[in-house]
Amino acid sequence: EATMRLHVLVARLGTRFVLVLAEDRTEAHRLDEVRRDFVANISHELKTPIASVSLLAEALEMAADEPVQVRRFASRLSTEATRLAHITSEVIELSRLQARDALRPDVLVSIDEVVAEAVDQNRIVAAAKRVEVAVRVAPGARVYGDRALMIVAVHNLVANAIAYSNEGGRVGVGVKVDDHTVEIAVTDQGIGIEGEDLDRVFERFFRVDQARSRNTGGSGLGLSIVKHTVQNHGGDVRVWSQPGRGSTFMIRLPLADSVSPSAPAGGGER
Ligand code: ADP
């Protein structure tokens, strides 16, 4: 819920004094709000798996004499623990990204390698779902940046494309290069995203249809991490989607050959 501070000011208008209600919308105040929301969201997201873990531990204790039950509860316990670990590491990653000013990277990163690595990391999940991942790369693009962060960003897009594809679907990863920019597009033919949700998918913890998304075991932080990483590199990320047809997420980054290494890579919105 948005809070708004009202200030009562006394202003002088000609010879008369009038009362003015002024809205406090300073940047500091806005950031404060964002931080409060973030903490509230984290607490909320962590509460459910933590509650599950303690319930399952209790159930495990009570079922001690029944091996089949024990195995079932233990396996669910381990799933919830993995989920907790996943959310925690994403939260840490995201706060690190947000705390960082725009990167002034001087390390050359090969986009070919980033894409190949990100796709490789998703091979097993794709195979399990019989999703074909086709890669078409215009080779040779290089950007200044943080290789590991970039891999995470592309990985998140590919992982989503697979997660929100149907069994046997097709995911395309394409890299295009022009004079100043490299574009990395990840396209799927999956469930797509409704127009009203499209603007919000990059928000922290936002998940379309909580119940449905929960099946994928995500946290709603993946795209937020993509957005902050790309912005810290002076680029942007956009999405096009048609419900029932599929989605395309596109990262754009300034090519190394068109920026000088010492130039700031553009300020990111926090
Ligand atoms: P999550 O961990 O839930 O996947 P993300 O931040 O990566 O979190 O994505 C936020 C939400 O955006 C997802 O829960 C999902 O509803 C939607 N979304 C992301 N990528 C896709 C996609 N390729 N197709 C359809 N919906 C998507």
Side-chain angles (χ1 to χ4, degrees):
E1 73 274 35
T3 54
M4 196 185 285
R5 246 175 255 157
L6 286 178
H7 287 268
V8 182
L9 301 175
V10 183
R12 190 170 177 168
L13 202 117
T15 53
R16 293 170 41 194
F17 290 93
V18 290
L19 281 179
V20 181
L21 290 177
E23 205 182 291
D24 180 3
R25 275 261 164 226
T26 58
E27 179 63 7
H29 184 215
R30 195 187 68 80
L31 282 178
D32 228 40
E33 240 171 56
V34 168
R35 255 179 233 123
R36 260 204 314 271
D37 280 359
F38 188 35
V39 172
N41 282 336
I42 293 173
S43 324
H44 179 80
E45 281 300 309
L46 292 179
K47 260 183 201 151
T48 318
I50 289 173
S52 307
V53 163
S54 45
L55 280 175
L56 284 164
E58 261 175 49
L60 201 55
E61 237 179 350
M62 308 224 290
D65 300 331
E66 298 168 61
V68 179
Q69 294 282 59
V70 167
R71 214 169 294 140
R72 211 181 101 219
F73 290 138
S75 142
R76 283 176 54 194
L77 197 55
S78 137
T79 306
E80 288 299 330
T82 308
R83 187 167 146 70
L84 257 179
H86 181 74
I87 295 177
T88 312
S89 65
E90 285 198 335
V91 166
I92 293 169
E93 184 62 44
L94 185 57
S95 30
R96 278 220 302 260
L97 284 170
Q98 289 180 276
R100 193 176 307 182
D101 285 325
L103 289 171
R104 287 169 190 245
D106 49 9
V107 180
L108 274 173
V109 180
S110 147
I111 292 297
D112 308 4
E113 282 174 29
V114 166
V115 168
E117 177 64 34
V119 170
D120 266 358
Q121 290 174 353
N122 282 289
R123 289 260 181 240
I124 294 172
V125 185
K129 229 179 144 173
R130 293 187 303 106
V131 170
E132 186 202 336
V133 182
V135 184
R136 286 181 60 176
V137 174
R142 295 184 310 172
V143 303
Y144 287 112
D146 184 315
R147 187 170 183 275
L149 282 180
M150 226 99 93
I151 292 172
V152 170
V154 179
H155 167 101
N156 287 358
L157 293 186
V158 176
N160 279 349
I162 296 166
Y164 299 106
S165 279
N166 306 311
E167 283 263 333
R170 215 184 119 87
V171 167
V173 183
V175 177
K176 278 210 294 197
V177 180
D178 71 19
D179 285 353
H180 303 289
T181 317
V182 54
E183 291 177 354
I184 308 166
V186 179
T187 300
D188 66 66
Q189 302 168 340
I191 59 178
I193 303 163
E194 296 285 345
E196 70 205 61
D197 297 324
L198 218 46
D199 291 340
R200 304 198 53 201
V201 290
F202 296 104
E203 288 174 17
R204 285 170 300 223
F205 295 110
F206 179 80
R207 316 193 65 209
V208 176
D209 184 350
Q210 300 280 333
R212 189 198 67 196
S213 301
R214 181 94 357 151
N215 297 335
T216 67
S219 59
L221 289 175
L223 287 178
S224 190
I225 289 173
V226 173
K227 185 180 104 175
H228 282 96
T229 300
V230 171
Q231 285 182 346
N232 283 358
H233 282 83
D236 60 19
V237 55
R238 293 192 287 168
V239 57
W240 295 264
S241 188
Q242 269 188 292
R245 287 275 183 105
S247 315
T248 294
F249 285 83
M250 185 193 282
I251 290 175
R252 289 191 311 175
L253 293 165
L255 282 174
D257 316 300
S258 65
V259 290
S260 79
S262 55
E269 167 206 324
R270 298 279 174 99

